[in-house]
Amino acid sequence: MLKLLTAALCATICLSDLAEAQDRQRLGYGRLLTNDFFGDGEDRWRTGGFQSSRVWGPAWEGMAPSGFGQLLELRLAAEILAPDDIRTPDPSDRPYAGALSIGLHTHFARGPMEYSVGGDVVFLGPQTRLDEFQDAFHDTFNIVPPSDAVRDAQIENDILPNLVAEAGRSFQVGQASSLRPFVEARAGVETLVRAGVDFTYGGGLGQGELLVRDGVSGQRYRVVQADWTGFSFVVGADIARVSDSEFLPSERGIGLEETRERVRAGVMWRSETGISGFYGLTYLGEEFEGQDEGQIVGAIRWRVPF
């Protein structure tokens, strides 16, 4: 845990110094909370996560700059993965895992194409203290906590790199909607290639804004925001080819599903006073051979300006 805090502090200081040295300014902040309690309520598998972004760059002009590294995003994330039964799990179920990460990403545009490229340092295992956090949270709200056996069998301590790259292009469909196909590649903690599409209708979500994709749900959240009011509706889907996952170690006899599907929908609302909220649902397909069905996770974000 001390290593994590030290790395986070160093990254924040270095990023702030770099922003000042190259005449950058803070452009925005965004976050998204995911949990299956807001979805199917089952408390299993991809059970909970949080991702936040802080962005620095030159003056925002409605789109990312063309230069690689001009706009920088400091990304922090946490995720808990658990077996279906957190007391006495089936031997073929996935092991418990906690993951904390800190990373630096850049967003840029070349012509109509939008790119996001970056890397994260991911901390796995009991060193993250996420099992203790979940245990205390469940105890507070009188929810059954993970058993000692489940926590003892969790993914071991490790520190790993994770590289992420995405390319997408937005197409205007009429006056009130847009379509954005994208491709994504990840290598490190999980190695995969993904292709998908996002469709947005109504409001102003994404118009003159910077959106960042959540790693668990695939939902995109606002980081650099424009002034608009009303409702925006989003739907999307993607499919991935997966070659490796540290969360599903083969040495434990877990068979990795080579394809993963996600289907999502959500609604974004923003008032004239700047109060805003987002709620979305994502269906996650099976990730390993012992998983007999998919799951639904919810994603929420709210903002009340002061």
Side-chain angles (χ1 to χ4, degrees):
M1 194 65 176
L2 180 59
K3 292 181 179 179
L4 175 64
L5 295 175
T6 302
L9 179 60
C10 290
T12 303
I13 293 173
C14 292
L15 183 58
S16 299
D17 290 344
L18 187 60
E20 293 177 2
Q22 300 194 13
D23 197 28
R24 291 184 178 88
Q25 57 185 296
R26 179 169 170 169
L27 299 177
Y29 166 73
R31 62 189 181 276
L32 195 71
L33 175 67
T34 58
N35 199 292
D36 59 354
F37 175 78
F38 309 127
D40 55 26
E42 295 289 345
D43 195 22
R44 58 181 180 173
W45 302 326
R46 297 271 182 175
T47 184
F50 178 78
Q51 183 171 301
S52 69
S53 303
R54 292 159 178 81
V55 172
W56 289 263
W60 184 256
E61 297 180 354
M63 62 183 298
S66 60
F68 179 92
Q70 284 185 285
L71 189 151
L72 296 175
E73 174 203 349
L74 175 65
R75 185 178 299 177
L76 305 173
E79 185 182 5
I80 295 174
L81 304 94
D84 187 5
D85 186 338
I86 59 176
R87 298 301 298 175
T88 54
D90 188 294
S92 64
D93 209 338
R94 76 182 309 152
Y96 190 97
L100 282 173
S101 67
I102 178 170
L104 189 62
H105 299 253
T106 183
H107 301 262
F108 58 100
R110 299 285 173 84
M113 294 297 298
E114 303 163 350
Y115 299 93
S116 173
V117 179
D120 307 276
V121 178
V122 184
F123 298 78
L124 300 177
Q127 65 183 339
T128 65
R129 305 291 178 86
L130 287 173
D131 57 337
E132 296 180 12
F133 169 80
Q134 188 182 37
D135 187 68
F137 182 85
H138 280 209
D139 184 63
T140 300
F141 292 94
N142 199 27
I143 304 171
V144 175
S147 67
D148 291 340
V150 166
R151 293 172 59 183
D152 290 343
Q154 69 180 289
I155 297 296
E156 297 83 2
N157 287 340
D158 208 347
I159 303 176
L160 299 169
N162 197 58
L163 303 178
V164 185
E166 178 178 322
R169 179 175 178 178
S170 296
F171 296 89
Q172 199 67 27
V173 182
Q175 295 183 346
S177 58
S178 64
L179 190 70
R180 186 181 185 273
F182 72 93
V183 293
E184 179 191 60
R186 291 176 173 263
V189 176
E190 293 199 297
T191 301
L192 58 86
V193 177
R194 173 180 283 129
V197 64
D198 298 295
F199 177 77
T200 305
Y201 175 79
L205 183 64
Q207 298 181 18
E209 300 183 316
L210 176 67
L211 303 182
V212 172
R213 190 176 305 279
D214 173 60
V216 176
S217 66
Q219 302 280 6
R220 297 198 299 160
Y221 57 91
R222 305 164 73 213
V223 179
V224 181
Q225 305 178 20
D227 291 331
W228 58 272
T229 59
F231 289 87
S232 279
F233 301 90
V234 295
V235 295
D238 55 60
I239 186 169
R241 178 75 172 184
V242 186
S243 60
D244 186 55
S245 174
E246 296 293 330
F247 298 130
L248 301 167
S250 58
E251 59 268 22
R252 296 198 186 189
I254 301 175
L256 180 73
E257 290 285 357
E258 294 184 349
T259 59
R260 289 184 191 172
E261 307 83 20
R262 298 189 302 197
V263 181
R264 55 191 169 272
V267 58
M268 176 79 197
W269 168 78
R270 186 178 188 277
S271 73
E272 294 182 356
T273 60
I275 299 173
S276 62
F278 174 83
Y279 175 68
L281 293 171
T282 300
Y283 169 80
L284 304 176
E286 295 88 342
E287 297 188 2
F288 59 97
E289 293 178 359
Q291 187 175 355
D292 57 1
E293 61 180 345
Q295 68 177 123
I296 298 176
V297 298
I300 60 172
R301 190 261 170 98
W302 63 94
R303 180 174 182 267
V304 180
F306 294 97

